Amino acid sequence: MHLFLYGPPGSGKSTIGHILASRLGLPFVDLDAVIVASAKQTIRGIFACEGETGFRARESAALASAIADPPSVIGLGGGALLKPENRAQAESAGEILCFDADAATLEGRVARAPGVRPLLSTPVSDCVQPPQAGQGKPISQLLAERAAHYASFPRRVKVSDRPPEETADDTQAALGLYRVSGMGSAYTVCVGDGLLDTLGARFRELGCGDRTVIVGDSHTLPLYGERAAASLRALGVTVSLAEIPAGEATKTIATVASLWPAFLKAGIERGHAVIALGGGVVGDLTGFAAATWLRGVRWVGLPTTLLAMVDSGLGGKTGADLPEGKNLVGAFHPPSLVLADTATLATLPVRELRCGLAEAVKHAVIGDPGLLDTLPRFAFCKNSDAAAPCASLSGAAWLAPFVARAMAVKVRVIQQDPFEKGLRAALNLGHTIGHGIEKATRFSVRHGEAVAIGTVLEARLAEELGLAQPGLAAQLAGLFSGLGLPVAPPPGIDLAEVLAAMTLDKKKADGKVRFALPVRLGEVRTG
Ligand code: NAD
């Protein structure tokens, strides 16, 4: 699939295109540059000699040829998709993202490159001929003429005079697309509504052979196993299903050991990949079973909880709990592909959704405070029946971009520190106390709930140590409780047991318990 960047002249398609292509490991094609190279003259020169009709014919030919090439990021000219046949071709060859910008922003940018854009009335330094009738208009007029056209593209990103990297961040959130590298082979992470149906094609692209095992739990496999399997079977992949009981109590080495015979029976060999369909428990266990089967086979993550989408499904930490503590056995073994189908969140119980929101808040505190502005959309969580599914999320257009943005903080951190040598420890915000609370309550407090409580208590600790901005703990408590999350340990909890579990936590170093402490929204200190 190609990615097409579209929008008015000066909206940054080339600048953002270069950044995006480098982040995604794809080539960048600047369609205007291709046209100039093949015509051996400037765009203005082509307009002068051949008129707009001649230029548009060259543009259509260049577009068709770029589409025939392997997947790339393609920066389009500002009128390239005015022709319905060009638009239809691009729509069937990939995703189109259109940049929105106001006339003032565009005027400033266009003025910095005078004479390049023949349809605009910018100062001309290399004019071959005077502009033809209908040409040489101010950008505001061109924008007004094309307003309905640009607005007809559903995926749009507003550009302004922010740094281009920030616009590239928004573009990736709108596209729901990341590429994570740094730990073994790079892998693609896709977020979107309905992605389960694309599993077969994407699995085939990975070249993982003709068989697989889909591991799911007693909730996710009945809900989505057959749909995922159908997409694979349609492309000739033989699929076995392996079901494990739902819940944290399943996250044991005994469950991992029960998956190996399933892999053997399905004939999983070194070149194959297995698939994890479920929340963090299924992902951690399946990833670890994949890491240890035949000394390592590939795995694909299909996260179905919000928590697994924004957190556990990324970063390649796999493993199981021991009776003595959480995640004490494990391996770094990144997935080969992550497909986060946000449509699956419509069956997720509200209590589980809240848990994912706790991790999203954690990411906002670590590196994207602006994400907090989008939380009021989840206000319904506060008073909803915890056991009921989140049917209201079905088809919500804002959901996939929200999930993608909540993922972005973790993607950035694990890119820079894949093996938790330093920066990645920030992701443990709320987890040192949180893991102790989970353990001391025999997991009746869920992971995300424990992270919410742990984050508030760690913020309080940071305030007492004079590290955090005063009032931060109360601010965080307000955010979490607004989502229906607990912010204090349950009454009667054995604090000695919490402390004992914290001293066993694997985040210990040199015999000392380590914390990631919040300093203010957007900053966490580790040590
Ligand atoms: P989970 O996997 O237990 O899922 C929660 C519940 O939701 C389960 O009952 C599951 O069956 C159900 N469920 C899942 N998807 C559903 C859907 N779409 N519809 C209906 N029900 C659905 O728990 P979780 O919260 O996803 O993950 C928690 C685990 O993740 C913990 O073990 C934690 O330690 C781990 N984790 C790992 C990492 C990592 O980096 N590997 C990071 C954070 C958390």
Side-chain angles (χ1 to χ4, degrees):
M1 298 287 277
H2 295 284
L3 293 177
F4 299 95
L5 300 184
Y6 192 47
S11 57
K13 294 163 298 217
S14 300
T15 308
I16 308 301
H18 277 292
I19 297 172
L20 205 59
S22 123
R23 288 186 185 178
L24 297 174
L26 292 171
F28 176 66
V29 177
D30 183 333
L31 209 65
D32 278 355
V34 170
I35 297 165
V36 165
S38 79
K40 297 191 176 57
Q41 58 179 325
T42 62
I43 304 264
R44 178 166 284 278
I46 301 170
F47 266 73
C49 301
E50 303 172 18
E52 184 171 355
T53 313
F55 173 77
R56 296 284 174 217
R58 286 180 178 277
E59 190 175 49
S60 298
L63 177 64
S65 134
I67 286 175
D69 284 339
S72 51
V73 177
I74 301 175
L76 299 167
L81 302 184
L82 286 164
K83 277 189 188 171
E85 56 273 32
N86 285 2
R87 181 173 181 163
Q89 271 194 63
E91 279 170 345
S92 61
E95 298 287 349
I96 302 169
L97 185 127
C98 186
F99 291 123
D100 282 334
D102 55 42
T105 305
L106 295 176
E107 259 155 25
R109 293 180 177 191
V110 168
R112 289 196 283 275
V116 173
R117 296 171 174 93
L119 288 180
L120 298 178
S121 57
T122 52
V124 172
S125 56
D126 62 343
C127 189
V128 185
Q129 284 181 13
Q132 298 173 7
Q135 295 177 8
K137 54 189 82 164
I139 189 103
S140 51
Q141 187 186 336
L142 187 107
L143 271 187
E145 286 169 7
R146 292 188 185 163
H149 171 66
Y150 290 137
S152 69
F153 291 88
R155 275 184 218 266
R156 296 204 303 283
V157 163
K158 179 98 186 140
V159 299
S160 59
D161 280 331
R162 292 178 302 157
E165 286 72 18
E166 286 181 18
T167 309
D169 292 345
D170 289 355
T171 305
Q172 285 190 270
L175 290 167
L177 194 58
Y178 299 98
R179 184 111 180 123
V180 183
S181 57
M183 184 191 287
S185 306
Y187 56 96
T188 298
V189 176
C190 304
V191 190
D193 188 288
L195 288 185
L196 270 189
D197 300 324
T198 68
L199 173 64
R202 293 173 194 261
F203 187 87
R204 278 297 193 193
E205 275 167 21
L206 285 179
C208 296
D210 59 357
R211 68 196 55 205
T212 188
V213 176
I214 300 179
V215 180
D217 70 23
S218 44
H219 297 142
T220 60
L221 211 60
L223 280 167
Y224 301 109
E226 274 312 318
R227 205 162 120 220
S231 163
L232 290 157
R233 288 186 186 124
L235 290 177
V237 180
T238 304
V239 183
S240 311
L241 302 176
E243 185 176 305
I244 59 176
E248 186 73 30
T250 294
K251 203 171 140 184
T252 62
I253 289 299
T255 310
V256 176
S258 76
L259 293 175
W260 294 323
F263 295 172
L264 183 68
K265 191 165 169 219
I268 299 300
E269 297 172 358
R270 276 273 173 80
H272 296 139
V274 296
I275 297 173
L277 173 69
V281 168
V282 172
D284 282 10
L285 288 171
T286 309
F288 188 54
T292 43
W293 180 244
L294 303 178
R295 298 195 175 83
V297 296
R298 286 180 285 173
W299 69 287
V300 169
L302 305 179
T304 61
T305 62
L306 180 61
L307 185 143
M309 290 180 189
V310 306
D311 192 359
S312 68
L314 306 166
K317 280 188 185 177
T318 68
D321 302 338
L322 289 186
E324 291 80 3
K326 267 182 71 74
N327 303 323
L328 287 177
V329 182
F332 284 111
H333 187 55
S336 296
L337 170 71
V338 177
L339 288 185
D341 184 345
T342 50
T344 61
L345 298 179
T347 55
L348 192 66
V350 164
R351 186 175 182 193
E352 303 301 342
L353 182 73
R354 290 177 186 146
C355 289
L357 289 170
E359 298 282 9
V361 172
K362 181 196 82 178
H363 287 171
V365 175
I366 293 169
D368 183 8
L371 185 60
L372 300 174
D373 300 337
T374 59
L375 288 179
R377 285 177 162 146
F378 293 97
F380 70 90
C381 281
K382 183 168 171 127
N383 299 315
S384 297
D385 174 1
C390 301
S392 59
L393 294 181
S394 181
W398 53 265
L399 184 58
F402 168 80
V403 173
R405 182 168 173 182
M407 276 180 173
V409 171
K410 179 151 182 180
V411 168
R412 270 201 299 278
V413 171
I414 58 181
Q415 285 272 118
Q416 290 171 53
D417 180 21
F419 293 103
E420 203 168 313
K421 301 264 190 263
L423 185 67
R424 186 168 174 170
L427 295 171
N428 291 326
L429 171 64
H431 282 59
T432 305
I433 295 179
H435 278 171
I437 290 173
E438 271 182 286
K439 173 89 192 332
T441 58
R442 314 282 175 273
F443 301 103
S444 67
V445 172
R446 307 260 316 114
H447 180 74
E449 293 166 344
V451 168
I453 300 167
T455 303
V456 172
L457 295 184
E458 289 175 10
R460 202 170 294 159
L461 175 64
E463 279 186 50
E464 277 168 23
L465 291 171
L467 293 174
Q469 189 184 307
L472 183 63
Q475 189 182 5
L476 291 172
L479 281 168
F480 287 124
S481 49
L483 297 166
L485 282 154
V487 293
I493 192 169
D494 183 345
L495 290 178
E497 218 182 318
V498 176
L499 280 174
M502 281 166 59
T503 53
L504 250 183
D505 196 276
K506 63 179 172 23
K507 291 181 283 300
K508 241 175 33 169
D510 307 326
K512 291 186 187 139
V513 177
R514 301 274 152 179
F515 286 91
L517 294 179
V519 175
R520 62 178 62 79
L521 295 184
E523 188 184 343
V524 167
R525 187 176 294 183
T526 57

